[in-house]
Amino acid sequence: MGAIDLDTIAPLHWPTPAFEQAQGVGMTSQRTRDRLIAQLWQEGIRHPAVLSAMRVTPRHLFVDEALASRAYENTPLPIGYDQTISQPYIVGLMTQFLAESGTPLGRVLEVGTGSGYQTAILAQLADAVYTVERIAPLQQRAKAILDKLGLNNIHYRISDGSLGWPEAAPFAAILSAASPPTIPQSLIEQLDLGGRLVMPVGETTQRLIGIERLSTGLKTYDLGPVRFVPMRPGVEA
Ligand code: SAH
């Protein structure tokens, strides 16, 4: 059985001292985080920059206080408004697919800010993150935490993420945490040459799909079955 030496994975260009202040104790401590990282490594998340970002990021800050003690279990958790914070393994899998094109990533588009946890991981691997959410109070809460952590390379927008963020395109990477029936054409169009996109696709049954834009066309990867919340049109009133 392999093992992981956590000391060999150094952060890429974060964290700020604010991360250390957000350390936590007991069930939210660095030791608890390290156990999760060892588990992700066992499950095949091996990219050093991805593991190092997930290792230092205080996921307990992104969930309700009542759930903080469960924040380092490898499970999705409710974040209100009928939405969930993604399972750490899935965050690792999606981020790893993007990071395999080389880190640091340039500009990254995220559809579905949600709790902001995935945004925090991307912000540590990218020059800039453009994150779009359709439920304003969710994004406001996420922004407050991300600001507190000193992650200042993030741009926020309330809109329908299926349209992407045309003014900031093209993107080196695109990630969606909401599942549409088919991949929106605008997202494909906003992907840079050599760029990668990862998102769930499908309604009752979903697959995690990866796409790479090569000079010869699009290359598609099937990363397995998943269960995400549906991508919904428009913004919530
Ligand atoms: N990565 C987030 C996932 C949140 S769940 C986390 O781990 O917390 C997915 C999010 O996508 C929800 O917040 C939902 O409101 C949002 N969403 C759904 N459809 C959307 C759309 N068309 N545009 C933007 N956000 C959308």
Side-chain angles (χ1 to χ4, degrees):
M1 188 176 89
I4 177 176
D5 180 359
L6 293 171
D7 292 330
T8 62
I9 51 171
L12 199 62
H13 61 217
W14 298 94
T16 64
F19 276 61
E20 277 149 46
Q21 282 159 29
Q23 244 268 342
V25 291
M27 296 296 280
T28 63
S29 69
Q30 187 59 54
R31 264 173 71 99
T32 315
R33 269 196 286 287
D34 285 355
R35 262 199 300 276
L36 173 63
I37 298 309
Q39 195 183 336
L40 296 182
W41 191 89
Q42 287 297 340
E43 291 179 13
I45 310 303
R46 299 283 166 94
H47 195 290
V50 175
L51 288 174
S52 82
M54 292 186 73
R55 185 185 179 211
V56 297
T57 303
R59 189 170 183 258
H60 64 277
L61 298 186
F62 294 89
V63 299
D64 193 83
E65 237 171 278
L67 293 171
S69 67
R70 301 191 55 200
Y72 301 101
E73 291 173 22
N74 192 10
T75 179
L77 293 167
I79 54 171
Y81 304 90
D82 275 340
Q83 307 302 324
T84 54
I85 181 171
S86 305
Q87 180 192 4
Y89 170 72
I90 296 294
V91 170
L93 188 65
M94 292 175 88
T95 315
Q96 174 163 276
F97 177 78
L98 299 179
E100 275 164 0
S101 66
T103 49
L105 294 160
R107 283 194 305 280
V108 178
L109 172 69
E110 180 188 34
V111 177
T113 315
S115 67
Y117 174 72
Q118 171 78 69
T119 322
I121 304 300
L122 291 171
Q124 294 170 72
L125 304 180
D127 294 335
V129 179
Y130 292 77
T131 188
V132 183
E133 172 58 61
R134 62 182 293 285
I135 303 177
L138 268 180
Q139 192 177 72
Q140 278 155 16
R141 194 172 66 192
K143 182 177 186 300
I145 302 163
L146 295 162
D147 283 349
K148 210 166 86 183
L149 288 174
L151 294 169
N152 53 21
N153 59 341
I154 305 170
H155 305 263
Y156 301 86
R157 177 179 274 188
I158 297 298
S159 72
D160 182 345
S162 67
L163 307 173
W165 192 318
E167 303 88 331
F171 296 100
I174 298 178
L175 179 152
S176 171
S179 188
T182 57
I183 300 184
Q185 194 53 36
S186 337
L187 298 185
I188 306 257
E189 281 164 11
Q190 290 172 33
L191 189 62
D192 206 356
L193 187 63
R196 287 183 167 216
L197 172 155
V198 68
M199 63 190 297
V201 181
E203 292 170 301
T204 42
T205 65
Q206 300 173 4
R207 309 289 303 182
L208 187 62
I209 300 298
I211 288 185
E212 201 181 358
R213 182 187 284 288
L214 304 169
S215 55
T216 48
L218 300 176
K219 186 171 176 187
T220 305
Y221 302 78
D222 185 338
L223 305 175
V226 284
R227 210 172 66 198
F228 278 84
V229 299
M231 185 177 281
R232 296 197 188 285
V235 300
E236 195 130 304

